[in-house]
Amino acid sequence: MILAKRSTLSNAYDEFDYTLIATYSDAKIDELLNNPGVIRNKLKINAAISNAKAFMVTQKAYGRFDSYIWSFVGNELLMNHWTTIDKVPTSTDLSDKLSKDLKKKGFKFLGATTMYAFMQSVGIVNDHLDGCLKK
């Protein structure tokens, strides 16, 4: 569902510019709540704003946000060796640890499953099946 709405979400959220999202006013929140092309959940909209602010604070503290994220794996790619898709986890102790630390930093709606998908998508974890051309 989210991927199908990506274009609309990108437009509604100013091309995902976190510096703009961090400054959203009540008027912008109302605009988003009335936009049928986005997820009209006030808690999630407020979380996006809160997360943008927390992202900037974390980025400043670590020099770069990716330095913070990669610190959880000692700056080393986690290469898993799965033979069947049903063995690939949806979350791990590491993604739970990352989620909890982000929440301490003020991030919201970032559970262990979301963080594991994030770690896969940015290349911190390689869960391609053994034998996969993308491995």
Side-chain angles (χ1 to χ4, degrees):
M1 180 177 88
I2 296 299
L3 291 176
K5 293 183 175 222
R6 181 168 171 79
S7 177
T8 303
L9 287 166
S10 180
N11 185 49
Y13 281 90
D14 296 296
E15 308 306 320
F16 303 121
D17 182 338
Y18 61 90
T19 61
L20 292 177
I21 294 169
T23 66
Y24 280 1
S25 64
D26 288 340
K28 179 64 175 185
I29 292 169
D30 287 341
E31 176 187 317
L32 291 167
L33 286 169
N34 289 304
N35 183 337
V38 303
I39 299 164
R40 295 180 289 174
N41 177 313
K42 191 168 187 172
L43 291 174
K44 289 187 178 189
I45 292 168
N46 285 330
I49 298 164
S50 176
N51 289 352
K53 292 174 183 176
F55 176 85
M56 291 191 298
V57 169
T58 305
Q59 183 182 48
K60 186 174 183 177
Y62 288 83
R64 294 170 29 154
F65 189 78
D66 69 318
S67 296
Y68 163 73
I69 295 294
W70 279 96
S71 73
F72 281 83
V73 293
N75 296 311
E76 295 287 331
L77 167 70
L78 296 179
M79 181 71 72
N80 290 319
H81 297 282
W82 310 114
T83 55
T84 59
I85 196 75
D86 61 316
K87 302 291 184 194
V88 179
T90 57
S91 66
T92 63
D93 290 342
L94 178 61
S95 67
D96 186 52
K97 180 180 174 184
L98 176 57
S99 170
K100 286 177 180 175
D101 197 67
L102 285 166
K103 287 177 183 178
K104 286 180 191 173
K105 294 182 181 320
F107 288 83
K108 299 178 181 2
F109 282 96
L110 297 178
T113 301
T114 301
M115 293 320 306
Y116 197 70
F118 169 77
M119 291 165 56
Q120 291 170 315
S121 70
V122 299
I124 290 173
V125 176
N126 186 334
D127 276 337
H128 287 279
L129 300 180
D130 288 345
C132 174
L133 293 174
K134 301 281 186 178
K135 185 76 169 195

